[in-house]
Amino acid sequence: MKGTLRRSMAWLHTWCGLVCGWVLCVIFLTGSLSVFREPITRWMEAQPIAASDAAGSVDEGRAVAQAQRYLAVHGAGARLWRVQLPAHPGEAVRLLWRDGSGIQQIALDPARGTPVSPAALRQTEGGRHFMSFHYMLQLPLLGFWIVGALTVGFLVALVSGVVIHRRIFADFFTFRPGIGPRSWLDAHNAAAVLTLPFLLMIAYTGLCIFASSYMPWPVQAVYGADDSAYARFTSELAAEPAVVGSMAQPTGPAPDWAGLLEKARMLTGQPAQMLLVNAPGSANARVRIIGRADPRQPSSNLFTAQASVLFDAASGAVLQIQRPDPASMSMGARIKGVMRSLHFADFGSWALRWVYFTSGLLGTAMMVAGMLLFSIKRRIKGQHEFGDATRRFYHCVEAFNVVCSVGIGLACCGYFYANRLLPLELADRSRWEIRSFLLIWAATLLHALCRPRQRAWTEQLGLAALLCLCLPLLNQWTTGQALWHYARVGDWQRAGVEAVSLGFGALLAFALVKLYRHHRRQGSSR
């Protein structure tokens, strides 16, 4: 009975791991990169380097005053104003307003209040692309369901893998290099055991975050199936403080936003991240100031609620306060906040983000090792499971192994290169960056299908290593900025992007050398 169960689990683990593993490699790599989505976005925007990024601070009062003056002139009559304040010195203020002609956007110099030219601020999705690709594969509805189904399959593969490995903890301390399939199995087992708690947590929290979308029937049973049902569910889950009426009548001119920012900081303890103004210029205009958690002061809680203060725009009276205290939130909102923080690493210091990044890469390596082990074992056994089509089938398997491990890395590199090489005035520029990513990834599939297995691996590895190593040179050539410029002013976020690119390039070059030597030994032994 035990033997039958183990054989069934082994079959389930093998095929579920292979089919899910291809796309999961892509999901895990892009998810790992999205941990550093803010530094990636800053690097891709290529804004001017501030004199001192480490010690400097953003003058919020001046920035918001410039935004208020600009919107009063150019956004008069709009139904909504949004002001995104800079998080770092030297960055622009982002303005958005919605009027009868649609949505208008612009970036302002926070000191002078003048629009920033496209040459100083690139239109890009930045690191947000990796996050959105991570959970919906650039297929807004279909991709969302594919990722959910694959996550369930991934949990099945993890549980079945634990069942079939009787020596799971002993395998963690066992690695025998240079002996073919056994080495890949040892690498697969070691990476799996090391990252098992992380992988289980990531898969489970990812499903929990979208539980009401993957399983909408409980919400429909309580709140109904109409269009506003989900809004009622989330509103009750959040349990926001009630909005009170205006507590004072205006006795003079409307207060300036800089004063409201200071009042919001005193009430919540958080600096401002964004201002939302509804019905600006009308009698019932309201200003909501949304806070920003300071990453240099990690919270003792697992997550920090986002603070916000709602003001009456005419009198400056406080209408609503949401303090950054999880204890003031409902239990449902706290549970959802914890799940999101665990999945997105929205708590702790930058050291924790490096732990997430490294664990995600190890999880990716585990899946790559498992896929390669599958191919090597089938290549050795040659069972002809699919008759005359067996050879073509396994060639396609090998091609997908290349595309979903090295090819996706090439596509990520191409995304960064497109950011620097596409014309700044190109219409819909951010979408063309994403299209470049997808086209390059499709090209790696065509290349892997057309080339022999060994050449496909070496050629794509070599190109990926070259692109990673040359990325800092491309940045200096196109923007005049460089790693040492970032380091000199303490801009460690953008410096880290280029340092990681160089590190990946070195690792890929090392892998290429090892693979080349392995192929030479195989050729000489024949």
Side-chain angles (χ1 to χ4, degrees):
M1 183 66 180
K2 289 183 178 179
T4 303
L5 175 63
R6 186 166 285 110
R7 284 192 297 273
S8 300
M9 285 293 181
W11 181 91
L12 186 65
H13 180 78
T14 298
W15 287 100
C16 189
L18 177 69
V19 175
C20 297
W22 285 326
V23 184
L24 284 170
C25 273
V26 174
I27 292 171
F28 262 75
L29 179 61
T30 53
S32 301
L33 291 172
S34 72
V35 171
F36 293 123
R37 54 191 173 275
E38 181 188 353
I40 289 173
T41 301
R42 292 192 63 213
W43 185 89
M44 294 183 73
E45 287 176 346
Q47 296 193 42
I49 301 175
S52 179
D53 190 79
S57 60
V58 177
D59 189 345
E60 292 178 353
R62 173 180 289 187
V64 79
Q66 298 287 9
Q68 187 174 14
R69 282 193 288 270
Y70 189 91
L71 287 170
V73 175
H74 297 87
R79 298 190 296 270
L80 171 73
W81 292 345
R82 190 185 75 184
V83 180
Q84 182 82 33
L85 293 171
H88 302 274
E91 292 185 348
V93 184
R94 309 297 183 90
L95 305 184
L96 178 147
W97 63 95
R98 185 181 295 123
D99 53 25
S101 61
I103 295 177
Q104 311 295 327
Q105 298 186 64
I106 200 166
L108 289 185
D109 185 308
R112 294 186 290 270
T114 55
V116 177
S117 66
L121 183 63
R122 293 163 184 255
Q123 183 191 6
T124 179
E125 274 297 299
R128 295 180 296 271
H129 159 65
F130 295 119
M131 184 174 67
S132 60
F133 192 87
H134 167 69
Y135 73 88
M136 64 178 183
L137 305 174
Q138 291 300 332
L139 301 170
L141 184 59
L142 177 61
F144 178 78
W145 284 98
I146 289 174
V147 171
L150 290 176
T151 305
V152 174
F154 181 54
L155 283 173
V156 171
L158 286 176
V159 174
S160 59
V162 172
V163 172
I164 65 177
H165 285 100
R166 290 170 292 182
R167 300 175 61 253
I168 186 168
F169 293 106
D171 285 341
F172 173 65
F173 299 100
T174 304
F175 182 65
R176 289 155 284 191
I179 54 175
R182 184 72 244 185
S183 300
W184 288 109
L185 179 60
D186 288 344
H188 179 71
N189 291 339
V193 176
L194 181 63
T195 59
L196 182 61
F198 173 81
L199 298 177
L200 287 169
M201 180 273 293
I202 285 293
Y204 178 73
T205 54
L207 290 173
C208 287
I209 290 170
F210 300 109
S212 59
S213 297
Y214 292 133
M215 296 183 293
W217 307 283
V219 175
Q220 293 176 0
V222 178
Y223 296 91
D226 57 281
D227 293 339
S228 61
Y230 186 74
R232 294 196 301 273
F233 165 67
T234 54
S235 177
E236 186 173 325
L237 181 67
E240 293 183 349
V243 178
V244 300
S246 181
M247 295 182 291
Q249 294 299 320
T251 58
D256 61 87
W257 291 351
L260 298 183
L261 281 186
E262 186 60 31
K263 187 183 293 187
R265 183 193 288 269
M266 291 175 60
L267 290 171
T268 64
Q270 283 189 352
Q273 175 183 358
M274 182 188 301
L275 281 81
L276 295 174
V277 185
N278 287 310
S282 66
N284 60 344
R286 291 176 175 179
V287 180
R288 182 179 293 277
I289 297 177
I290 300 173
R292 183 198 309 274
D294 189 348
R296 294 170 295 184
Q297 299 177 358
S299 170
S300 58
N301 299 302
L302 189 57
F303 85 104
T304 300
Q306 194 168 37
S308 70
V309 183
L310 184 65
F311 294 96
D312 181 88
S315 64
V318 177
L319 304 180
Q320 183 192 62
I321 302 176
Q322 175 66 65
R323 291 185 170 86
D325 180 12
S328 66
M329 304 174 66
S330 66
M331 181 59 69
R334 274 186 277 174
I335 292 172
K336 185 177 181 180
V338 167
M339 291 297 174
R340 289 184 63 87
S341 292
L342 283 172
H343 192 83
F344 294 116
D346 288 336
F347 67 101
S349 63
W350 285 105
L352 181 70
R353 287 172 172 79
W354 278 105
V355 172
Y356 268 65
F357 180 70
T358 305
S359 299
L361 293 180
L362 284 172
T364 307
M366 175 205 69
M367 286 177 275
V368 171
M371 294 186 304
L372 289 175
L373 179 64
F374 175 90
S375 300
I376 293 171
K377 289 174 70 174
R378 295 308 187 278
R379 202 185 308 141
I380 293 173
K381 291 180 179 179
Q383 295 175 344
H384 299 284
E385 302 100 315
F386 305 99
D388 294 338
T390 300
R391 183 175 180 182
R392 291 193 299 274
F393 174 80
Y394 284 118
H395 178 71
C396 291
V397 169
E398 294 276 7
F400 277 102
N401 287 347
V402 175
V403 169
C404 293
S405 53
V406 184
I408 186 62
L410 266 173
C412 292
C413 290
Y415 178 65
F416 291 120
Y417 273 70
N419 171 262
R420 290 300 190 255
L421 295 176
L422 288 175
L424 295 174
E425 299 79 13
L426 179 66
D428 217 10
R429 189 177 188 276
S430 59
R431 289 188 178 273
W432 276 108
E433 289 180 356
I434 296 173
R435 289 168 187 156
S436 300
F437 169 87
L438 296 173
L439 288 171
I440 292 170
W441 194 27
T444 64
L445 174 59
L446 182 63
H447 172 266
L449 289 171
C450 295
R451 299 290 285 169
R453 171 181 55 84
Q454 293 182 355
R455 288 188 175 275
W457 278 104
T458 54
E459 289 167 2
Q460 293 200 22
L461 272 174
L463 182 57
L466 181 65
L467 291 179
C468 286
L469 292 172
C470 291
L471 187 63
L473 297 177
L474 175 72
N475 182 38
Q476 186 176 20
W477 175 55
T478 54
T479 67
Q481 301 176 4
L483 191 152
W484 51 88
H485 296 151
Y486 301 138
R488 188 177 65 246
V489 300
D491 190 347
W492 300 114
Q493 288 192 14
R494 289 195 279 185
V497 171
E498 299 204 352
V500 169
S501 177
L502 292 173
F504 270 122
L507 284 174
L508 291 171
F510 175 77
L512 179 64
V513 171
K514 296 287 286 185
L515 184 62
Y516 177 74
R517 290 176 178 174
H518 174 70
H519 290 166
R520 287 194 63 181
R521 284 197 301 269
Q522 280 189 331
S524 61
S525 62
R526 290 174 182 172

